[in-house]
Structures are given as structure tokens and as C-alpha cells.
Amino acid sequence: MALKSFSVTLLICLLFVSSSTSLAQSPGLKISPDAALQELVNEAARATLAKYKDKKLEESNLAITLIDLSNPQRPTQASFRGAEPIYPASV
């Protein structure tokens, strides 16, 4: 079976916000890169590409963004092709 287009986008948000703190109250809050999250994202990308190799999934069809909001005052992030425009899987 030929697969014309296969795209996957993951957005994983971990959100633990106390009732007194909200990201909405912090305009301009910078999300910093995190090395541990980056390794997790890299491994998820490698595993996904390997699993769907027979379906001809290529790097150009995959984008992953992981944002950790467990500390709402200092959110961190990692991505695999996160800046690339790609249709979300739900479209």
C-alpha cells in the first residue's frame, strides 16, 4: 500500500499549576530548552521512525514538541523539527 502522505505531530504538555499561579499571568514568559527533555524527544523520534519505516515515514513527515510546565515560572521544552511547518495529525 502506497502512503502518499503521513504526518505526525505530538504536543505533550505536563501541567501542574497551583490555583494561585497561572501562565496567563506571565506575559512574555520564555520557555527554555532542556537537555534531558531533548534526549527524550530524540529517542521518541528515533523509535517512531524505526517503527513506521515500512510505512515509509520519513523525518520530513514528523515533528515533535515537548513542553514541560511542571514549574510554571520556568517552563522548559525540546523538539524534533519543532520549527518546521507541518499539518497536525488531527487535520
Side-chain angles (χ1 to χ4, degrees), residues 1-5 54-56:
M1 179 175 136
L3 183 61
K4 288 184 178 181
S5 175
D54 63 326
K55 303 274 191 207
K56 302 190 184 344

Side-chain angles (χ1 to χ4, degrees), residues 14 34-42 66-68 76-79:
L14 304 173
D34 182 270
L37 290 180
Q38 188 61 56
E39 185 53 38
L40 182 66
V41 167
N42 291 345
L66 174 64
I67 303 172
D68 182 354
T76 57
Q77 67 92 27
S79 66

